Amino acid sequence: MTKSIDTSIYAAVSEAIRAEAQRILSDGTVTAIVGYAAARRKGSAQPIVISSADDAAKLIFTPACVNNLAVYLTKAKKEIPKKGKVGIVVKGCDLKALSGLMGESQLKREDLYLIGVPCAGVLASTVQPATELTSDSIAPKCTECDAQLPGGCDFVPPQAPLTPGQTRKYAAEIARLEALTPAERWAYWKEQFSKCIKCYACRQVCPFCFCEQCLCDRNKPQMVDTTPRPAGNTAWHIVRAMHLAGRCAGCAECERVCPMDIPLNLLNRKMAKELKELYDYEAGFEVNDKGPLNSYTEKDDQSFIK
Amino acid sequence: MHPEKQKHTFEPKIIAFVCTWCTYAGADLAGTSRMQYPPNVRVLKFPCTGRIDPVFILKAFQQGADGVLVSGCHPGDCHYIAGNFHARRRFAVFRKLLEFVGVDLNRLQFSWVSAAEGGKWVEVVTDLTEKVRAMGPMTEFRELALEEQWSGAINTPELEEAYNQI
Ligand code: SF4
Ligand code: SF4
């Protein structure tokens, strides 16, 4: 059954973001703000970097504000943080990515001014931007979100997001796959991976894929075939899931940008699930300088080792 | 005196990634003590289990391994203090990933074999070899690699013959 989701607070949230942006830009707290602005198509939104208080009026927050802007601070706009303190508009999931990046010493908290957004959910990548937000059109990641209200920000609009109970879409799909036999799972993933065209959009958009040179691009030695064909694709996806295990913030940007509609985030979320079970680790708002895979305890499970 | 050699129809290829300080020395001990173990295992020596990247296991399967063994020092005995503790977590998670994409975990074995455990090395290698022998060849990754080289349909006897020769 389709349930509509209340996004009435978004107008007031946008208003509050604009006022705050106006204030911090004019009093010089920050030199620039990364946020969302309306894009050309009706109802759509796009990332924007503003550096003048006059542009603050451009900022918005709507269900079309899907991007995780954290990526702009590590890769695309690497030079931004160097010019002084930067403001950034973050949803809860984006904030988890920022916390992870701070833990990995990619960013410093004192260089950032965090504008947190109380978020009731954003639209799935498969629907038109002007669509109404319902339990059908919502992004799958939002059905599992435990971070509607970001914590530890410098400013959060006072509105409280409404959190309707929803069916956890990824959890359901992971459970379905786990119940299959290995051969069936192999067939499923073979089919999915064979669609990959190796555009690396998933890598470009991921805040954690910030390596200057990716292992998958190296050819001496070549560990992963670069061809967009079955063997290379399978290796790419396994390596990608492994390198993000214990780091992924679950923003599902990788899956959103994939032009071939591969359910990429299933792999990342499966890893997150295992890390939770094995080492009680979960991506969150607090900054940890050690992730689950670069720390250990002497009592870790070793029942699989002879 | 050598025991009578048994003939098998399938000889699995086992790749063993071992650390130089414990398991490699353990395997060496098995050799110098003249213990017999299946010659199916190809040993690759690393400084530490912490240096064994999961991608090596993937590569081994892609290149035709039927089984993979990863072995190093017992917890607490690492020459680099904590390399094997890190490896333990990494491989625990990597196993789960392989399982999720549909790889049969019976082909992948982890073990701790110290420099004094020549006998344990023999046992681990023999067990894995026999287990994998019973399972037959690992075809999944090899098929992917073949598909990589053959894009067209194999629809003539000549192609069929050439294909079967790879
Ligand atoms: S792997 Fe995907 S979901 Fe995880 S942080 Fe990267 S883009 Fe976000
Ligand atoms: S975005 Fe999709 S098609 Fe592109 S490399 Fe990633 S998985 Fe492959």
Side-chain angles (χ1 to χ4, degrees), chain A residues 182 185-186 189-190 222 227 229 231-232 234 274 279 292 294-298 300 302 304-306, chain B residues 59 62 82 85-86 88-89 95-97 99-102 110-112 120 127 140 144 147-148 151:
Chain A
R185 274 198 299 273
W186 181 264
W189 284 113
K190 189 172 167 187
Q222 187 179 56
T227 49
R229 312 208 38 209
T234 305
E274 294 299 337
Y279 310 120
N294 50 19
S295 55
Y296 65 89
T297 68
E298 292 183 5
D300 286 339
Q302 57 170 2
F304 65 98
I305 304 176
K306 250 193 192 166
Chain B
K59 191 83 176 172
Q62 284 187 331
F85 284 125
H86 286 286
R88 184 165 68 182
R89 281 202 167 190
R95 275 177 88 247
K96 296 288 183 186
L97 176 58
E99 185 182 31
F100 193 59
V101 296
F110 298 90
S111 66
W112 305 133
K120 183 169 177 189
D127 283 359
E140 286 90 343
L144 291 182
E147 280 175 37
E148 189 118 354
S151 46

Side-chain angles (χ1 to χ4, degrees), chain A residues 196-202 236-237 258-260 262 264:
Chain A
C196 176
I197 54 172
K198 285 276 180 88
C199 63
Y200 293 130
C202 48
W236 158 241
H237 285 279
C258 178
M260 306 312 287
I262 300 169
L264 282 173

Side-chain angles (χ1 to χ4, degrees), chain B residues 16 18 21 33 44 48 52 58 62-63 76 81 84 89-92 103 111 114-115 122 133 140 143 148-149 152 162:
Chain B
V18 305
W21 302 102
S33 325
L44 288 145
C48 176
I52 301 168
L58 213 56
Q62 284 187 331
Q63 302 283 357
I81 300 162
N84 55 358
R89 281 202 167 190
R90 194 183 310 141
F91 290 127
V103 175
S111 66
S114 78
V122 171
R133 193 196 305 284
E140 286 90 343
E143 275 166 15
E148 189 118 354
Q149 292 150 15

